[in-house]
Amino acid sequence: MTVRLKGTERDVVTIRWIPKYTVMERVGHWLHTATFVPLAVTGLILYVPPFQSLAQGQAGHFIRLVHRVTAIVFGLLPILYFIIEPRRFVLSIREFIFDKDDIGWVINAFSYYLMGRHTAMPPQGRFNTGEKMNGLIMCVTWVVLGVTGLLMWFGKGAVPVGPLRIGFVMSAGLFQWMVLIHDVAMIAAVAMFLVHLYLAVAHPLMWAGLVSMRFGVTSAAYAAEHHARWYYGPKRARRLYEEAKKKGASETGQ
Amino acid sequence: MAKGMLIDVTKCMGCRGCQVACKEWNDLPAETTACLGCYDNPEDLSPITWNRVEFYEYEQDGQVNWFFRPVRCMHCLDAPCVKVCPTGALYKHEMGFTAYDESLCNGCGYCTQFCPFDIPRLKETTFLGKGKSSKCTFCQDRVPAGQVPACAKTCPPGAIQFGEREELLEKAEARLAHLRNGAPRPFPEAVLYNPSGVGGTAMMYILPENNLGRFNLPEAPSGALANVWQKIVQPLGGVALGATVLGLIAAFFVTRRNIRMEEVE
């Protein structure tokens, strides 16, 4: 698929689009967003003292209701996605595994994201190190928030679920730890989310991310530059990277 | 100014007058209950039972002991429930007790889990957790009006004394001295229960012996995790999230200066 952007003669750009995300991946991503954001907002209302008036009385009941109903969807999403696209799920999880190129990414991330210097960046797979960290935090906090949340929900004694009564009495000490761990996981997840949001909507080099998440495709030029190992394959990406490094070194006279 | 109650377990005769007076003043209905095989009744504190007399029967040195203790909110001066309450429904009244505004409660139940004495009870447990909390309010609608709490007012043997907390502490010392070598029966091990882990309590007990487990009282109650949560995790979390936002805003402007969009492919 080729799109021609019209402008002055000099600015005509040809973009070749290549597929990146399946429909279900994108639906899953946006449903995750649509549940994560209300969960974070309603949770923060209980957490941040200045929002106290919103947490009080009937408003507080409503906030807690939204938090729990949304939590059910949030918790089920990855499981549903696994059922719908199990092979793709495993494939993506494999892509999230860290390797030694990730160290190079972390070292160069500062100049890469703030200055836009790409040459020293080791070739990245379908997900770069930052996306891997985001994925890791989201996976870990999904488990931690889910487990601690369920224990807080059902650990205060039996709760009626339809005709059944489900729940148990957890020791108060354990409950207190659950609250603490839930909060710490929330802080990690929300901090990661903020960085993710910034890169998606505000960073000039990362413009392709939102396009990919909406239309499922990414620019070939963008993929070659930011996800070389995925675009060229590991061997060619490595060779190109070494060549670029040599060239960069000779240019700066080193 | 800080008020307190001094409950003398060596004086309490287990009449449960306080239990009834509490229900009467606070308009709490009777429980539907059954004989539990002991004198304790009802079985537990509940949203409609804020004060309940516990019976302790045991043998010591060939003598049967039978003591009674009205169990209710301890009104900790440094109350963990107040720290964790996200709504401000639980708050420290200027007169020293832990007051409660039910209209503000959203039923989160943190107070029931962070209370070192296991006192607050949720009104109902629904799937969506809508039950509000409830507990002894130190007769917050009597004390500020200059009246004595209902339990103290009714107590026939004068086991529940109400007054200025400082004065009660002095009275407790005098009473302990009397009990330790007093007649007709000395209590050489008598102690005052006013645990420092929660900053002391407005509800204080004189116990006939220093065996807290016997009287279902925790040895070292504290709001340690409530403090870790509220004083460390919450501010640090706020700083972490605030720093993230500020860092990203700064990064945005630095990036904008360094990267010109015309060069981006």
Side-chain angles (χ1 to χ4, degrees):
Chain A
M1 181 166 44
T2 303
V3 175
R4 289 185 72 86
L5 297 177
K6 282 187 182 155
T8 63
E9 194 59 33
R10 217 184 93 244
D11 290 330
V12 168
V13 183
T14 306
I15 297 177
R16 195 161 60 82
W17 300 99
I18 56 174
K20 187 163 188 193
Y21 297 117
T22 66
V23 174
M24 276 304 145
E25 271 177 317
R26 283 176 279 147
V27 169
H29 174 272
W30 290 115
L31 283 176
H32 185 88
T33 315
T35 48
F36 182 90
V37 172
L39 276 170
V41 169
T42 53
L44 280 168
I45 286 171
L46 286 181
Y47 178 84
V48 183
F51 293 157
Q52 193 180 62
S53 61
L54 286 171
Q56 290 168 343
Q58 287 302 310
H61 275 331
F62 179 70
I63 294 289
R64 294 180 54 232
L65 179 76
V66 171
H67 195 76
R68 288 178 186 214
V69 171
T70 320
I72 296 170
V73 183
F74 179 80
L76 288 178
L77 270 177
I79 298 166
L80 285 176
Y81 178 70
F82 176 73
I83 292 167
I84 295 168
E85 288 186 343
R87 289 191 58 202
R88 187 90 181 151
F89 184 92
V90 173
L91 199 76
S92 293
I93 292 286
R94 280 213 192 119
E95 290 278 352
F96 276 118
I97 294 168
F98 290 88
D99 54 49
K100 71 174 183 358
D101 277 345
D102 293 316
I103 299 164
W105 185 94
V106 171
I107 292 166
N108 289 299
F110 188 77
S111 62
Y112 182 66
Y113 282 93
L114 292 181
M115 318 292 179
R117 289 180 197 142
H118 316 162
T119 43
M121 197 56 116
Q124 299 290 309
R126 183 162 165 254
F127 300 116
N128 69 24
T129 312
E131 289 169 317
K132 286 179 190 175
M133 292 197 294
N134 182 57
L136 180 75
I137 295 281
M138 285 303 154
C139 290
V140 170
T141 54
W142 176 77
V143 173
V144 173
L145 290 167
V147 169
T148 53
L150 283 173
L151 286 173
M152 287 194 282
W153 193 343
F154 295 99
K156 283 187 292 193
V159 169
V161 182
L164 304 170
R165 289 184 70 78
I166 297 174
F168 62 101
V169 178
M170 186 166 65
S171 85
L174 200 58
F175 186 98
Q176 296 175 13
W177 278 109
M178 293 303 114
V179 177
L180 270 180
I181 295 168
H182 200 78
D183 275 4
V184 172
M186 177 280 287
I187 293 161
V190 171
M192 201 71 233
F193 167 79
L194 290 171
V195 176
H196 186 73
L197 178 74
Y198 163 74
L199 291 175
V201 304
H203 195 285
L205 294 181
M206 304 297 127
W207 64 274
L210 263 187
V211 175
S212 305
M213 254 324 154
R214 182 164 170 204
F215 299 106
V217 291
T218 193
S219 138
Y222 179 89
E225 192 173 311
H226 297 258
H227 300 280
R229 224 168 55 206
W230 174 60
Y231 185 75
Y232 292 116
K235 274 187 190 161
R236 194 169 162 211
R238 177 69 50 197
R239 207 179 66 231
L240 289 169
Y241 169 60
E242 300 297 343
E243 281 169 11
K245 243 192 356 190
K246 247 180 246 162
K247 200 175 150 213
S250 63
E251 269 174 12
T252 50
Q254 283 171 335
Chain B
M1 194 61 196
K3 301 290 179 187
M5 280 198 240
L6 181 63
I7 304 179
D8 193 335
V9 170
T10 64
K11 277 187 185 172
C12 177
M13 60 185 193
C15 72
R16 284 193 278 232
C18 54
Q19 210 170 301
V20 174
C22 174
K23 289 214 176 223
E24 199 150 29
W25 176 259
N26 292 300
D27 209 11
L28 301 169
E31 302 259 5
T32 307
T33 177
C35 178
L36 302 163
C38 59
Y39 281 90
D40 294 51
N41 210 315
E43 195 177 4
D44 191 12
L45 290 173
S46 80
I48 53 167
T49 302
W50 297 349
N51 173 44
R52 171 182 172 271
V53 177
E54 276 187 5
F55 291 67
Y56 313 105
E57 190 180 355
Y58 57 94
E59 203 181 304
Q60 197 178 46
D61 304 329
Q63 191 179 4
V64 171
N65 286 293
W66 202 19
F67 291 111
F68 323 102
R69 181 173 75 92
V71 175
R72 72 281 284 282
C73 174
M74 298 291 288
H75 297 276
C76 311
L77 299 193
D78 188 22
C81 61
V82 171
K83 284 184 195 145
V84 301
C85 179
T87 64
L90 287 162
Y91 60 98
K92 288 308 288 184
H93 193 277
E94 57 184 12
M95 297 179 95
F97 52 86
T98 305
Y100 175 54
D101 181 346
E102 190 181 308
S103 71
L104 298 182
C105 177
N106 70 16
C108 74
Y110 289 161
C111 55
T112 66
Q113 304 299 318
F114 280 84
C115 174
F117 303 98
D118 186 27
I119 297 296
R121 294 286 185 272
L122 291 182
K123 279 197 169 167
E124 56 184 315
T125 321
T126 67
F127 182 54
L128 298 164
K130 291 186 81 175
K132 292 194 180 221
S133 187
S134 61
K135 70 164 195 80
C136 155
T137 66
F138 210 87
C139 279
Q140 62 187 7
D141 44 358
R142 288 174 66 92
V143 172
Q147 286 187 294
V148 176
C151 56
K153 181 91 177 166
T154 206
C155 184
I160 305 175
Q161 287 184 73
F162 166 80
E164 294 296 322
R165 189 166 175 277
E166 292 305 314
E167 287 173 23
L168 289 177
L169 282 169
E170 283 168 27
K171 281 186 185 173
E173 282 310 310
R175 176 68 181 164
L176 284 176
H178 175 73
L179 283 173
R180 279 170 188 153
N181 42 39
R185 182 187 165 187
F187 292 101
E189 303 287 312
V191 288
L192 174 72
Y193 189 72
N194 174 32
S196 59
V198 289
T201 54
M203 197 70 69
M204 298 172 286
Y205 290 98
I206 286 174
L207 302 173
E209 58 169 302
N210 192 8
N211 184 351
L212 300 177
R214 176 105 73 200
F215 302 103
N216 279 342
L217 285 165
E219 290 279 348
S222 84
L225 274 183
N227 282 332
V228 171
W229 181 25
Q230 295 295 314
K231 293 190 179 157
I232 298 172
V233 174
Q234 250 188 14
L236 280 186
V239 169
L241 292 180
T244 306
V245 171
L246 289 180
L248 290 174
I249 292 170
F252 176 71
F253 288 110
V254 172
T255 311
R256 282 255 299 217
R257 263 182 47 180
N258 290 328
I259 303 171
R260 274 173 297 161
M261 278 310 289
E262 295 78 45
E263 292 168 7
V264 175
E265 250 183 286

